[in-house]
Amino acid sequence: KQEVTQIPAALSVPEGENLVLNCSFTDSAIYNLQWFRQDPGKGLTSLLLIQSSQREQTSGRLNASLDKSSGRSTLYIAASQPGDSATYLCAVRPPNAGNMLTFGGGTRLMVKP
Amino acid sequence: GAGVSQSPSNKVTEKGKDVELRCDPISGHTALYWYRQSLGQGLEFLIYFQGNSAPDKSGLPSDRFSAERTGGSVSTLTIQRTQQEDSAVYLCASSLTSGGAYEQYFGPGTRLTVT
């Protein structure tokens, strides 16, 4: 059974700092990996989707990398801002029919002004 | 365009009552997923629909939970004889199809509180 772990569970940084969120998964047979953002009381917003054949994806100040063989992904946030404060979730998708996502527990990020 | 919508946004019910949660997927999306987010359990898959195929119910926690999708669009998740452990945020997602390359788009969720 696929298990996804995110470390740290919570992180507090001063504004402007670069930071890295970690995601690990136990079964390397994935189709893709997706990073989401969740604001309090809200649904999930997709940030980046990395296919299993890709090594990284970039969107603005965000960069996500994928090392499928070692079961790891990182989300790099450059020049963090208070508006980045949210919970960040990673999720992996299996290569079979249905493709329901398996989620990590999330990292709760606080960026202080 | 319109995203995934869910109703109600909040639901408080007494233990033992039945509840229905509704999801309107993005127009044209054939795949629809229900997930549950609860403290201590994180976000977990419940059930999945693809077009007119039989749903994948492998994530449903008990036979008190059921879901249907009418006309390949709107879906209703029903919880019978609710228990306090059913308290959670229920999230719905849709994607263009079930193919792995397609992103899932999530609704805002329904927060269910069982008293």
Side-chain angles (χ1 to χ4, degrees):
Chain A
K1 178 185 175 185
Q2 177 75 269
E3 292 184 2
V4 182
T5 304
Q6 290 187 246
I7 295 174
L11 181 64
S12 180
V13 301
E15 181 178 4
E17 194 163 296
N18 301 326
L19 57 99
V20 174
L21 307 182
N22 296 292
C23 172
S24 61
F25 46 96
T26 55
D27 186 350
S28 62
I30 65 169
Y31 197 101
N32 58 37
L33 182 144
Q34 201 165 353
W35 282 93
F36 294 89
R37 168 185 173 137
Q38 185 174 31
D39 293 282
K42 305 289 185 182
L44 306 182
T45 300
S46 179
L47 298 173
L48 291 164
L49 174 71
I50 311 178
Q51 303 295 346
S52 61
S53 58
Q54 296 176 318
R55 296 285 293 182
E56 65 178 320
Q57 280 286 334
T58 298
S59 175
R61 294 182 294 108
L62 305 180
N63 176 276
S65 68
L66 174 64
D67 184 342
K68 198 176 75 163
S69 61
S70 67
R72 294 182 182 180
S73 175
T74 61
L75 179 66
Y76 175 82
I77 303 177
S80 58
Q81 303 170 358
D84 295 331
S85 298
T87 295
Y88 291 81
L89 294 153
C90 72
V92 297
R93 174 175 273 183
N96 55 10
N99 294 296
M100 61 287 293
L101 300 174
T102 300
F103 284 84
T107 294
R108 191 169 65 255
L109 174 65
M110 171 85 67
V111 180
K112 298 179 179 179
Chain B
V4 178
S5 61
Q6 293 186 246
S7 61
S9 56
N10 281 284
K11 176 72 176 179
V12 180
T13 190
E14 293 180 353
K15 177 182 174 181
K17 300 284 189 181
D18 297 352
V19 295
E20 287 188 349
L21 312 179
R22 176 187 168 105
C23 171
D24 280 273
I26 293 173
S27 178
H29 281 196
T30 63
L32 186 148
Y33 305 78
W34 282 98
Y35 295 86
R36 177 171 72 173
Q37 187 173 32
S38 53
L39 290 175
Q41 294 296 322
L43 218 159
E44 52 187 352
F45 163 77
L46 296 176
I47 188 170
Y48 149 76
F49 296 88
Q50 170 56 55
N52 296 320
S53 302
D56 180 339
K57 306 178 183 179
S58 59
L60 294 178
S62 79
D63 58 9
R64 296 186 295 104
F65 288 71
S66 64
E68 63 176 20
R69 189 179 184 192
T70 55
S73 180
V74 172
S75 177
T76 302
L77 177 68
T78 301
I79 308 173
Q80 295 179 310
R81 305 181 302 282
T82 51
Q83 303 294 313
Q84 288 186 330
E85 62 262 29
D86 300 334
S87 296
V89 176
Y90 290 81
L91 293 164
C92 175
S94 72
S95 66
L96 191 60
T97 183
S98 60
Y102 296 97
E103 291 185 42
Q104 293 183 22
Y105 296 87
F106 282 77
T110 294
R111 181 176 297 276
L112 174 66
T113 303
V114 182
T115 61

